[in-house]
Every structure is written in structure tokens, then in C-alpha cells.
Amino acid sequence: AGFAATVWPVGWPLALAALIRLGGEELALWGAPLCALLAAWLTYRLAWEMAPEAPSEAGALAAAILLTSREGALRALVPMADAAAQALSVATVLCLWRGRRRDSLAWSALAGLLLAWGYWVRHPLLPLGLAAIPACWGAGRPWRRRLAHLGIFGAAALAGALPDLAYHHQAFGSIWT
């Protein structure tokens, strides 16, 4: 039909297309740096929640390390998907942590959707889903509740990834290709 199949995820190109529509190429070039700043803020929030005895110090240190890392800075200077993948990874872990701490299935579902979104940006983020196992399992809650957290996380992630998996099946003959 005049289209070429791509093995690259379409999430980041779609985000860049939206930025181009809103403000042209100039705005699209801000996509990666803004995602890097978002990743730093999310890292700050994650450290804040995980270290309640010294939240602002831990959060500031974690965000500073992230922002001043050589690789992080380099990846934020070009319109590649790395900074967006980083932000979505940290957001996934943050939501898993909140779901565990607050025993909230809504946070676990949001974590699953964020993982799916991350998968749409960079397919190698898929193993991040394994983070849900210790995040949900170590909560000290009854087995049924732990399974509910894992189940809702997995169902939300799968639901978000299904369109891309269907595309892979149609374009390449297998969801694994």
C-alpha cells in the first residue's frame, strides 16, 4: 500500500510530530531536553518517597547526578528517544512504589500504562516490567492483594502494548519480530 514496515517504535516520532505541529522544528528540538528535565524531577520525587528520613537531600542528589551525567546530557541534546524512555522508566518505578506503599491498584495500573507507553518509545524497556515483581511482592500484604497488584499492572501494560504487538504480527508475521 506504499508503506514500509519499521522495526522502530513509533511513540517518540509521534511525540515529535505533535511538537512539530504545535511549534515547528524549534519546539521539537526541545522534546528531549524537556524529557530529561522531567526525568530529573521524577527521580527527585522517587527519592523523596523512598527516603522519607532525608527526602529533599536524597531527591536533590539523585536529580543532580542524573542531570550532570555525561551520557544523560549527551542524549538530551539530540532529538532521540533516550530522555523520553528515561522519564517513562522512572515514572513507571515511581508509580509501582506508590502503588505498593499506598496499596493502590490505581497506581499499579498507571505503572502498567506507563510501561506500555515506554515500550512504544523504546522496545528494550520491556524488561522493566520485571521491576513489578519485587515492587508488588515485597509489600507485606496478603497474597491475593499482591497478585491483584501484579495482575492489574500486567493487564494495563499488555492493553497498552496490544496495538504495537498487532502491528508486529501483521507486518512481520510474529509479535516477537
Side-chain angles (χ1 to χ4, degrees), residues 25-97:
E25 184 180 355
E26 296 81 19
L27 184 59
L29 291 175
W30 280 96
L34 291 174
C35 285
L37 290 173
L38 176 62
W41 181 76
L42 290 167
T43 300
Y44 175 82
R45 292 299 309 157
L46 179 61
W48 179 277
E49 294 220 9
M50 294 182 83
E53 62 281 351
S56 60
E57 293 88 357
L61 178 62
I65 289 171
L66 184 69
L67 287 173
T68 59
S69 73
R70 182 176 187 270
E71 198 64 28
L74 287 174
R75 299 292 182 203
L77 295 176
V78 292
M80 294 175 58
D82 298 290
Q86 185 178 43
L88 290 164
S89 297
V90 178
T92 300
V93 174
L94 176 61
C95 288
L96 280 170
W97 182 263

Side-chain angles (χ1 to χ4, degrees), residues 92-154:
T92 300
V93 174
L94 176 61
C95 288
L96 280 170
W97 182 263
R98 283 186 175 175
R100 171 186 174 169
R101 211 182 84 216
R102 298 176 183 177
D103 191 22
S104 168
L105 293 176
W107 281 108
S108 294
L110 181 57
L113 290 174
L114 286 167
L115 176 63
W117 190 5
Y119 167 78
W120 276 80
V121 168
R122 293 216 46 198
H123 288 144
L125 289 186
L126 200 53
L128 179 62
L130 296 175
I133 296 170
C136 295
W137 222 252
R141 305 231 184 314
W143 289 100
R144 284 181 176 224
R145 195 64 179 172
R146 294 178 194 187
L147 287 173
H149 278 278
L150 277 174
I152 197 80
F153 171 81

